[in-house]
Amino acid sequence: MGVVGLVAALLSGAAAVVVGAVAGVTAAAAAAVSLFAAARRPSDRGSALAWRWLAGGSATWLVGIGVRPLADGTPFAVTFADLVLLAGTVMLAVGTGLCAVRPAHGQALLRDLADAYVCAASLFVIGWVLLLGPAYRDAGDAGTFAVTLASPLLCLVLTCAVGPAVVPARRSAWPVGLAALVVLAAVTASETVTALARLTGDAPPLSEVWLAPAAFLLLAAVAWSDRTARAKASGDTEDTGLLGDRGDTGEPGDTETEQEAAEPLVGQATSPLVAATPLVLVVVAAVVVLLRVLGGGIQGPVVVLALVSVSVVVVLVMRLFVVLMETGRMRRLVDLGERQLHDLAESTGDVVLLCDYEGVVREIGEGVETTYGYRPDELIGGRIFDYIHPEDVPAIQVALRAMSLDEEPAEGAGTCMVACRVRAADGTWRPTESVATRQMRGEELLLVTTRDVSDQEALRNQVAHLTFHDGVTGLPNRAYFEERTREVLARPGASSAAVVFLDLDGFTAVNDSVGHASGDYLLGQAARRLRAAVRADDTLARWGGDEFAVLLEAATDAQTVVDLAERLVRTVSSEPFRVADRDVALTASVGVAFADEDVSSADLIRNADVAMARAKELGGRRVEVFAAHMHTDVVRRLELAADLQRALLENQFAIEYQPVVDLATSRVTAVEALVRWWRGSAFVPPEHFLGPAEDTGLIVPLSEWILREACREVAAWRASSWEIGLSLNLSARQIMAPRFVESVESALEESGLPPSALTLEVIEEMLVEDAEETVNRLSELRELGVRLAIDDFGTGYASLALLRQLPVDMIKIDPSFVSGLGSDETLTLLTRTIVRLGHDLGLIVVAEGIERPEQLELLREMGCTRGQGFLVARPMAARGVDSLMRTSLSSLPSGV
């Protein structure tokens, strides 16, 4: 009978059913395979159970849809295939529900069931008025009608039951859950159409036949794409753990757990829309019924529609009653919590008040009179800012304004902690610590809890002062100085620090002649003189006895430290000290020591002490520098600075150009200008004079000369039909020069070089120090049309952030990366990553320091577009570039 029925179906007008069955089997099989494969990944174990249920439901559904054409020939209203399809639908509903954040319990479960019933009943009413009523009239047999529609109605109930839990659940399995919900809706629609077709004896429309298969294909695609995305995210997480030292456990499912921890917040954000859905459906159903009544009446038994409508009203009334009960209970709990909080704060001695965001006090506790001396009625209606120190008011107003603008604060954002000074009734300013929290009482207010911390503050200050200050002079003591020196030397760039030791010559005679009390008085006078002589950011301390120490945290150069030491000598000996009605003339011996990379704080202090002892041995009233090489370096730098100035006046500098070539075509695309200095007949390496030039400021006129000369030379080459660009390195001091942008614009106008042909290079460290001002200057250059490049890319620590802020055109890979190509796998991988990053950002990538053929071959294979180095072309004078351009670099070195 089954084979005969299938043949009859194929020969009749029900071919669409067979086509739909084949499509449904194929789509459901694809969904089942995709879901089973996704559930096998270890990182997906949090959603594996849901996906197994969905996969099982898809497999069961495909069995049912596969045998339906065979079972449709039976005389029964509900066939075995319908039962299998119904079982598959139930499994799909279970899997869809498991994709929610968490199963509901207690009142939440009852609420979800009520919402599901209202949604299902409303949709049933709409369907009855539009479709089922006329079908009932045509069917004639009420029993057959009810049995035929049982399956689609159950599908509708299942869809409405799991929908409210899945839609707002933005967990990792949410896309699959949403796609599964679409499958349930499509199955419900498909089963409804099939049931109506059975009642009328017609074949279902082809568009409806394809509805469920299309939904299953969507589920398969979402499951597979989510599996791929998870695999990629898992790989990225492993890479981050290796390169970034995140300290992850490495256990499977860590990412899943972290994602699920944050999911309830997202779900709560969309819950109002989901909660309103039942009411919207009820309104739509009522409108449909009303329109049908006005248009000619409702077909079919009205009693069914009336019973369903009455049940919806009853459920809604019960739901409203429960909501009112919950609201009342929550209100009582809030009031109880506020009373308990108020009582707790009052018992601890804190002052509790309610105010608005403008600072107007609405309520205040009785404790304010005990703590600050104000009666509560004096403060209510006034502004708290009238009692806060004026220096603290702006910061508090900014904090309160931020709280008022933050409509949906994240966790902890609704609380603000404030430390300020409050004026008491006696006029004293008392340090306080306050916590402001949002409160809703008809309007949004702030609950502020304030604690007077005057005693704690005074105790902390006293303990800190006694621990780290000298009782005679009031200066920091030896313990503070040693700790401060350790902190300074631990910072990056601590080699610019220096320590100065000072000893009062002849102070022992003062103690012997006028006593130790008078000697202490003299030490106080000396401390005041020395404090006035040192800079505000220098640390002056009393080391012990008649010795003082000065820590210079950021000495610009050695000569500055020596000048300070000599000023201290003059300060002590400039006029006598008045002690015990007599004048006492003293001098000072001063020792200076400079920090170095290998010098600890204890060694640095010791070196300064040794230098001071040497000064005393030589007769006192003098300055001695520890380590002769430091003094020699000062002299050498002064001489070098003078020679640099003379070299600028006598044109001792020259420019060489290193070609930058297109690695694919071997064509020279640009040259990088490099400065060279011949002091007489001796060549001075750039690393020996560029640093002093930067320190002395001579780098600015030198760079301007290089810019003008290089622009003029390259403009001449371009005039001979050579399309070539120019690259120049910028220094930090040059960028911050007052007329830096104007000087670049002037050089371009004088030479006739197009701005687009000029590329200015900066290193990453320049973009970190004074980042905002530097970026502004470079952006002005970019507006002129000048191109920007980051040199030595990958060696700093701010590249990725600044690639977003600064309109960069080019990145240049540091030679340290290129040198390891072909021999170091890590450097090769990093170089490949930088090239890929540059391509993804649309930047030109230039490799520097190409010296070996295998490096060039690897760079070509990576897709690096440009390069420079000794293998390509060495730096050369303008005449060499002229000749090189004429040959156009017809080929690169052989063997590459």
Side-chain angles (χ1 to χ4, degrees):
M1 179 62 186
V3 176
V4 175
L6 177 59
V7 173
L10 291 172
L11 296 176
S12 67
V17 176
V18 178
V19 174
V22 175
V25 169
T26 304
V33 171
S34 179
L35 288 165
F36 272 126
R40 291 176 60 86
R41 288 191 57 83
S43 60
D44 297 338
R45 63 183 182 184
S47 307
L49 181 60
W51 290 356
R52 290 191 183 99
W53 273 97
L54 290 174
S58 301
T60 305
W61 196 88
L62 75 87
V63 172
I65 200 66
V67 300
R68 169 171 277 182
L70 302 177
D72 280 346
T74 62
F76 303 105
V78 177
T79 65
F80 171 76
D82 295 333
L83 297 178
V84 175
L85 285 171
L86 189 58
T89 304
V90 172
M91 295 176 69
L92 288 172
V94 173
T96 305
L98 291 176
C99 292
V101 177
R102 58 176 63 90
H105 300 281
Q107 291 184 354
L109 178 60
L110 294 177
R111 180 194 62 209
D112 290 346
L113 291 176
D115 289 346
Y117 178 79
V118 171
C119 292
S122 301
L123 291 174
F124 174 79
V125 169
I126 296 172
W128 182 272
V129 172
L130 298 179
L131 298 174
L132 300 182
Y136 178 84
R137 180 196 61 193
D138 298 337
D141 185 2
T144 302
F145 181 82
V147 172
T148 303
L149 286 179
S151 178
L153 288 179
L154 183 57
C155 293
L156 176 62
V157 171
L158 292 174
T159 304
C160 294
V162 299
V166 172
V167 171
R170 300 293 181 87
R171 61 178 293 182
S172 57
W174 179 72
V176 176
L178 197 61
L181 187 63
V182 173
V183 170
L184 286 175
V187 168
T188 301
S190 178
E191 289 299 297
T192 303
V193 171
T194 301
L196 292 175
R198 286 178 176 177
L199 291 173
T200 59
D202 299 329
L206 187 59
S207 58
E208 299 297 336
V209 170
W210 284 95
L211 185 61
F216 274 105
L217 288 177
L218 173 64
L219 178 60
V222 171
W224 184 258
S225 62
D226 187 72
R227 174 177 180 266
T228 305
R230 286 170 170 273
K232 182 179 184 301
S234 177
D236 292 344
T237 302
E238 293 173 1
D239 292 343
T240 304
L242 290 173
L243 299 176
D245 194 21
R246 291 182 52 199
D248 293 343
T249 61
E251 296 180 0
D254 285 348
T255 304
E256 179 84 8
T257 304
E258 294 172 1
Q259 292 173 350
E260 292 180 0
E263 287 158 7
L265 295 176
V266 183
Q268 292 170 3
T270 58
S271 58
L273 178 61
V274 176
T277 301
L279 297 179
V280 173
L281 290 176
V282 169
V283 172
V284 173
V287 171
V288 170
V289 171
L290 180 61
L291 292 177
R292 180 51 61 92
V293 170
L294 296 177
I298 300 175
Q299 301 180 9
V302 181
V303 64
V304 175
L305 193 62
L307 290 176
V308 174
S309 301
V310 170
S311 67
V312 169
V313 173
V314 171
V315 171
L316 286 177
V317 171
M318 295 177 61
R319 175 70 189 282
L320 179 60
F321 178 75
V322 172
V323 169
L324 293 177
M325 294 291 292
E326 290 182 354
T327 302
R329 184 175 63 86
M330 294 302 297
R331 174 62 64 183
R332 291 191 297 272
L333 290 176
V334 170
D335 293 340
L336 177 61
E338 290 182 353
R339 288 197 302 271
Q340 292 176 342
L341 178 62
H342 185 274
D343 295 341
L344 178 62
E346 291 291 343
S347 65
T348 60
D350 295 345
V351 177
V352 181
L353 60 94
L354 276 173
C355 67
D356 57 23
Y357 287 102
E358 298 299 324
V360 178
V361 179
R362 303 296 180 85
E363 299 179 21
I364 192 167
E366 300 292 337
V368 68
E369 185 171 3
T370 303
T371 305
Y372 295 102
Y374 297 109
R375 295 194 308 274
D377 56 356
E378 295 179 13
L379 302 179
I380 294 177
R383 300 175 74 247
I384 59 175
F385 302 122
D386 297 336
Y387 302 92
I388 297 176
H389 197 284
E391 295 178 358
D392 301 333
V393 169
I396 298 176
Q397 290 177 332
V398 169
L400 296 184
R401 191 178 302 114
M403 292 181 66
S404 65
L405 295 177
D406 194 2
E407 298 180 356
E408 296 183 359
E411 183 178 356
T415 301
C416 176
M417 302 187 66
V418 176
C420 63
R421 291 160 288 179
V422 174
R423 187 181 70 245
D426 58 4
T428 59
W429 293 102
R430 301 186 184 180
T432 63
E433 294 178 352
S434 304
V435 178
T437 308
R438 288 181 170 182
Q439 292 287 308
M440 294 298 297
R441 293 194 174 187
E443 60 177 324
E444 190 167 316
L445 299 176
L446 292 175
L447 176 64
V448 182
T449 304
T450 300
R451 173 173 298 179
D452 184 359
V453 293
S454 300
D455 295 339
Q456 296 93 316
E457 188 73 15
L459 181 60
R460 283 197 298 265
N461 293 338
Q462 183 180 6
V463 171
H465 192 274
L466 293 176
T467 303
F468 295 108
H469 285 76
D470 174 52
V472 175
T473 62
L475 295 176
N477 57 15
R478 176 174 179 171
Y480 179 90
F481 190 85
E482 290 177 334
E483 181 64 26
R484 185 62 181 170
T485 304
R486 278 194 294 269
E487 293 177 357
V488 171
L489 292 186
R491 298 175 183 170
S495 57
S496 61
V499 171
V500 177
F501 255 52
L502 181 145
D503 181 84
L504 298 176
D505 300 331
F507 178 77
T508 303
V510 175
N511 280 335
D512 295 342
S513 60
V514 296
H516 288 276
S518 297
D520 291 344
Y521 181 71
L522 187 149
L523 289 174
Q525 295 182 56
R528 288 190 290 274
R529 289 191 191 182
L530 296 175
R531 178 71 271 177
V534 301
R535 301 175 303 183
D537 55 350
D538 296 336
T539 301
L540 172 65
R542 184 190 176 197
W543 185 254
D546 59 348
E547 296 180 359
F548 296 85
V550 181
L551 173 63
L552 291 85
E553 300 181 10
T556 55
D557 53 65
Q559 190 60 46
T560 301
V561 180
V562 174
D563 291 343
L564 172 64
E566 293 177 346
R567 185 164 66 250
L568 294 178
V569 173
R570 292 192 298 270
T571 298
V572 172
S573 59
S574 59
E575 58 179 301
F577 294 90
R578 187 70 178 173
V579 180
D581 296 329
R582 69 179 69 178
D583 292 334
V584 177
L586 296 178
T587 59
S589 299
V590 178
V592 178
F594 297 94
D596 200 353
E597 294 181 357
D598 299 329
V599 176
S600 64
S601 59
D603 291 340
L604 179 62
I605 295 173
R606 183 202 61 198
N607 293 345
D609 195 7
V610 170
M612 182 197 68
R614 176 61 178 167
K616 291 185 72 70
E617 291 176 1
L618 297 176
R621 197 173 181 174
R622 60 185 298 138
V623 176
E624 283 294 318
V625 178
F626 179 83
H629 71 85
M630 296 301 297
H631 178 69
T632 304
D633 185 61
V634 172
V635 175
R636 184 184 62 80
R637 278 180 168 266
L638 291 175
E639 293 176 350
L640 187 59
D643 291 343
L644 281 171
Q645 185 108 26
R646 189 179 308 110
L648 276 173
L649 297 175
E650 297 176 359
N651 295 323
Q652 297 179 9
F653 293 100
I655 301 177
E656 290 186 352
Y657 301 89
Q658 185 171 28
V660 179
V661 303
D662 188 319
L663 297 183
T665 64
S666 303
R667 184 177 62 86
V668 176
T669 60
V671 290
E672 181 177 0
L674 306 172
V675 65
R676 297 293 184 257
W677 182 20
W678 291 89
R679 185 162 53 175
S681 59
F683 173 75
V684 182
E687 60 269 21
H688 288 179
F689 68 86
L690 288 180
E694 179 82 13
D695 295 339
T696 58
L698 292 175
I699 193 68
V700 175
L702 177 59
S703 298
E704 290 179 357
W705 175 82
I706 298 172
L707 176 64
R708 289 194 304 271
E709 289 297 314
C711 286
R712 181 184 57 80
E713 194 71 55
V714 174
W717 291 332
R718 292 177 64 89
S720 302
S721 301
W722 294 336
E723 291 296 328
I724 187 171
L726 171 63
S727 293
L728 283 173
N729 289 288
L730 295 179
S731 67
R733 184 167 292 214
Q734 182 183 6
I735 295 175
M736 303 308 295
R739 294 182 54 82
F740 166 61
V741 178
E742 290 80 359
S743 65
V744 175
E745 187 175 9
S746 175
L748 292 172
E749 291 177 355
E750 291 175 4
S751 63
L753 184 68
S756 60
L758 176 62
T759 301
L760 297 179
E761 304 175 8
V762 295
I763 61 175
E764 298 173 34
E765 286 75 12
M766 295 181 190
L767 302 175
V768 177
E769 301 175 2
D770 294 330
E772 182 177 357
E773 181 64 22
T774 302
V775 170
N776 290 338
R777 292 289 184 92
L778 295 177
S779 298
E780 292 178 21
L781 287 176
R782 194 65 178 81
E783 293 175 359
L784 294 177
V786 176
R787 307 173 77 180
L788 301 178
I790 296 183
D791 197 13
D792 299 337
F793 185 84
T795 59
Y797 48 88
S799 304
L800 296 181
L802 290 166
L803 284 177
R804 177 177 56 87
Q805 301 176 18
L806 189 65
V808 177
D809 303 283
M810 179 186 303
I811 56 177
K812 305 188 74 173
I813 304 175
D814 187 76
S816 61
F817 291 93
V818 178
S819 64
L821 292 180
S823 58
D824 189 314
E825 293 183 0
T826 301
L827 292 178
T828 302
L829 176 61
L830 291 174
T831 304
R832 189 182 302 275
T833 302
I834 294 174
V835 173
R836 186 182 302 115
L837 173 64
H839 289 171
D840 292 343
L841 296 176
L843 304 178
I844 298 173
V845 182
V846 181
E848 295 181 290
I850 304 175
E851 298 180 357
R852 301 193 308 273
E854 60 269 21
Q855 296 171 350
L856 180 59
E857 187 62 29
L858 280 172
L859 289 169
R860 282 174 167 169
E861 183 266 333
M862 293 175 186
C864 182
T865 55
R866 300 184 185 180
Q868 64 185 100
F870 287 175
L871 181 68
V872 178
R874 291 177 175 271
M876 60 190 72
R879 292 190 302 273
V881 176
D882 215 351
S883 174
L884 184 64
M885 297 298 292
R886 293 183 188 279
T887 60
S888 299
L889 280 181
S890 59
S891 63
L892 287 176
S894 60
V896 179

